[in-house]
Amino acid sequence: MNPSVISVEAREDFKLIVTFENGEKKLFDVTPFLDKGVFTELKNISYFKQAKVAFGSVEWPHEQDFSKDTLYLMSDIAA
């Protein structure tokens, strides 16, 4: 089972710095999702920066979300 998210920081380049409960910090690139369905709203940078941790994953006010599994498996180690 993949670790839960404990903190998230949304950057200006549409990437998330995600910290997991195991202490790992990873970088998740949201840009491949910005033209897909409900995620198009994330193109608005002020809205994108409203990302928050919810139930061990990351979500936005209008219920767009990425699961902890997606975030953990599709992220790169943050420098």
Side-chain angles (χ1 to χ4, degrees):
M1 188 153 100
N2 293 313
S4 293
V5 175
I6 58 168
S7 72
V8 63
E9 176 190 339
R11 298 187 347 177
E12 294 285 333
D13 59 358
F14 297 101
K15 293 181 181 173
L16 301 172
I17 298 174
V18 183
T19 304
F20 294 90
E21 64 186 347
N22 65 357
E24 287 184 78
K25 193 174 269 198
K26 293 190 167 195
L27 187 64
F28 181 75
D29 187 357
V30 179
T31 56
F33 301 90
L34 294 177
D35 289 323
K36 298 184 186 332
V38 298
F39 295 110
T40 58
E41 189 174 12
L42 300 180
K43 288 180 181 180
N44 177 323
I45 193 65
S46 62
Y47 182 73
F48 179 75
K49 293 189 108 190
Q50 294 179 47
K52 66 177 183 176
V53 176
F55 307 105
S57 64
V58 173
E59 75 173 19
W60 285 265
H62 299 155
E63 299 182 4
Q64 298 93 338
D65 67 346
F66 289 102
S67 72
K68 66 180 183 175
D69 297 320
T70 298
L71 293 165
Y72 192 77
L73 297 172
M74 295 182 68
S75 293
D76 296 318
I77 301 297

